[in-house]
Amino acid sequence: MFFHQLLDPDLGCASYVLGCEGRAVVVDPGIDTGRYLDCLAAEDARLETILETHTHADHVSGREALAAATGARIRVPWGEGEEALAASEVIEVGAVAIEVIAAAGHRPEHIALAVTDSARGKMPWLLLSGDSLLVGDLARPDLAVDPRDGSHALHETLARLCELGDGVEVWPGHVGGSLCGGPGLSAKTSSTIGFERLANPLVSCADGDQLFRALMEKVPPRPPTVERVVARNAGGPPPPPPLRALGAEEVREALGQRPGTILVDGRAAADFEAAHLPGSVNLPLGGSGLGTRAGWVIDPEAPIVVLADGEDDCADLALRLRAVGIDGILGTVPGGVADLRAAGLRLHSEPSIGPGELARRLDGFVVVDVRERAEWEEGHVEGSVHLPLHLLRDADRLPGAPLAVACMSGARAAFAASWLRRQGHEARRVGPGGIPDLAAHGIDLAVGG
């Protein structure tokens, strides 16, 4: 048996390639199909079947594109006829047996997959748990059904999964950084049923009502593109069209003459601030959660031009946008600001303000804190405005005064400040550094709500 976990660090998603004797199965593929093809080639294996554990709400599935590239058969738990996956069905791939387990809670059609390698024994070895049992957490029950009903279903699912035995390894569909879990979701990528029974308090909830209260107490913001992504995934998402680099005339037409076009700039925040197109949005590559950030504010139907330093960075940024259902990409500007200058477009600079300078000039700004609630409660500037990224569309309630936009280190603030300037605000990013650094410059931070 061979087994590979493939992670999407931007969205905290996990997918799997497994098989035996040159035959393979892929579970929950993401939109970047190239990495699955590379994995299959390394194993010298032919992809026979693509399985989905549920209709994904946070990312666009790559199953149709992967099937088109390999000729593999698609099986889904909400399908009809031969496509449908049924509870207790067993899919055999060489010496590997994959048993389908009904695992409702996150979604009604959700399944988990118990994997047995007969070369090692007759008992399940691995559990591909999808969005049911996660490492340190459980899947959220509020995206597809009434959260109380979802919690009761999830409680029944946990009892069913725990019957597999403490030694069974747990390989989840999401890890730390995903919005499909709660605050306990670990960055660790696997666990065992036994360890989760001991260390994950959600697993030991007495009934569905207790689980409901525990899950909903600190549920993260609802992912911004749920309805759109679910609809696409349920119907079979088409492969994304190839990216195309825009020539100077096309850049000028798209950015200078087409209303509503958004330039999404993936360069580092400092490079963006030194020279950028007015109204462009800075989404610096290098971190995680870029697709989700964009999804909070960017209309998925809006025409978009992607700019970065080089073709690879442009492709990376475009993939992260497409993964959350932002599809209206007109083309790329791989030459960065040099291509903008060649197109005759006017550039602008907007230097950031460091924590020390902000501390000295605090009376001249309204501080806009874009961190999440838990971060805010640990310490914030008295009198500042709390506007986490998922509420960034509420910028119309901000005052007309100069804004100092801050987070923990400056990365989230880069995106938020550029968006607020696009909306007409006078906004500067605080960075490098952020709110916690102000204490070293004599600013007392308020604690609590």
Side-chain angles (χ1 to χ4, degrees):
M1 173 179 171
F2 57 85
F3 178 82
H4 301 276
Q5 181 188 60
L6 280 69
L7 296 175
D8 177 351
D10 194 51
L11 295 173
C13 300
S15 52
Y16 298 91
V17 180
L18 66 155
C20 182
E21 299 173 358
R23 302 164 60 194
V25 171
V26 169
V27 178
D28 291 337
I31 197 171
D32 183 7
T33 56
R35 56 189 183 147
Y36 304 103
L37 298 177
D38 290 343
C39 187
L40 292 165
E43 291 288 354
D44 193 22
R46 179 175 62 85
L47 181 60
E48 292 186 348
T49 309
I50 301 166
L51 304 176
E52 295 267 36
T53 57
H54 63 292
T55 314
H56 302 286
D58 64 331
H59 69 278
V60 175
S61 171
R63 69 176 187 270
E64 301 290 343
L66 189 57
T70 62
R73 181 186 182 192
I74 295 172
R75 303 289 308 283
V76 295
W78 66 91
E80 297 179 357
E82 294 183 356
E83 183 184 54
L85 282 168
S88 301
E89 178 179 354
V90 177
I91 299 166
E92 296 184 350
V93 186
V96 175
I98 304 170
E99 181 182 0
V100 177
I101 302 173
H106 182 65
R107 292 191 62 87
E109 80 280 3
H110 193 286
I111 60 168
L113 300 167
V115 180
T116 300
D117 179 5
S118 63
R120 298 197 67 190
K122 297 180 179 180
M123 301 298 291
W125 178 13
L126 316 171
L127 172 68
L128 305 186
S129 58
D131 280 12
S132 54
L133 177 59
L134 307 177
V135 180
D137 213 316
L138 299 179
R140 59 191 296 169
D142 63 319
L143 296 184
V145 296
D146 176 86
R148 188 177 295 275
D149 293 341
S151 297
H152 278 265
L154 190 55
H155 187 265
E156 294 177 3
T157 288
L158 289 175
R160 191 177 302 117
L161 297 182
C162 286
E163 290 175 355
L164 294 172
D166 286 351
V168 173
E169 297 177 11
V170 175
W171 293 87
H174 287 98
V175 298
S178 168
L179 291 180
C180 285
L185 187 56
S186 175
K188 193 174 184 302
T189 57
S190 68
S191 184
T192 64
I193 288 178
F195 190 84
E196 293 307 305
R197 280 163 46 90
L198 290 171
N200 185 340
L202 295 172
V203 177
S204 60
C205 285
D207 53 36
D209 286 331
Q210 184 183 4
L211 183 58
F212 165 74
R213 292 190 294 270
L215 286 172
M216 298 307 295
E217 182 181 8
K218 294 184 178 179
V219 68
R222 182 181 177 86
T225 54
V226 168
E227 286 76 14
R228 177 181 176 84
V229 170
V230 165
R232 288 193 57 185
N233 285 336
L243 287 176
R244 186 172 64 89
L246 301 177
E249 180 61 33
E250 293 173 306
V251 171
R252 183 164 54 251
E253 179 181 351
L255 299 175
Q257 301 175 21
R258 185 166 179 171
T261 299
I262 302 174
L263 176 68
V264 180
D265 191 324
R267 294 175 300 144
D271 294 336
F272 176 85
E273 289 159 350
H276 60 270
L277 186 74
S280 56
V281 177
N282 189 205
L283 202 59
L285 287 165
S288 62
L290 272 65
T292 300
R293 291 175 196 171
W296 292 128
V297 297
I298 293 178
D299 182 345
E301 304 290 347
I304 291 171
V305 172
V306 170
L307 178 144
D309 289 324
E311 293 180 359
D312 289 345
D313 281 356
C314 280
D316 185 8
L317 183 53
L319 189 69
R320 298 194 198 200
L321 296 176
R322 285 173 166 172
V324 296
I326 298 176
D327 296 322
I329 299 174
L330 302 176
T332 66
V333 186
V337 294
D339 283 357
L340 297 182
R341 291 193 177 100
L345 296 172
R346 178 179 61 87
L347 302 180
H348 177 70
S349 64
E350 186 68 52
S352 62
I353 178 171
E357 183 182 356
L358 177 61
R360 294 190 298 272
R361 300 175 55 194
L362 195 57
D363 290 343
F365 292 92
V366 171
V367 176
V368 178
D369 191 329
V370 298
R371 298 175 300 161
E372 293 301 314
R373 169 60 63 177
E375 298 173 287
W376 162 272
E377 292 179 349
E378 289 178 358
H380 57 270
V381 176
E382 190 72 45
S384 59
V385 176
H386 186 215
L387 190 69
L389 295 184
H390 65 274
L391 298 177
L392 201 55
R393 282 185 175 272
D394 296 340
D396 55 355
R397 67 183 176 92
L398 292 173
L403 307 177
V405 184
C407 60
M408 182 70 71
S409 63
R412 285 172 288 177
F415 171 66
S418 64
W419 177 260
L420 291 174
R421 286 196 296 271
R422 180 177 175 86
Q423 306 311 305
H425 293 277
E426 183 183 345
R428 291 175 67 179
R429 175 181 75 105
V430 177
I435 297 296
D437 300 300
L438 291 172
H441 297 282
I443 302 299
D444 293 329
L445 299 181
V447 177

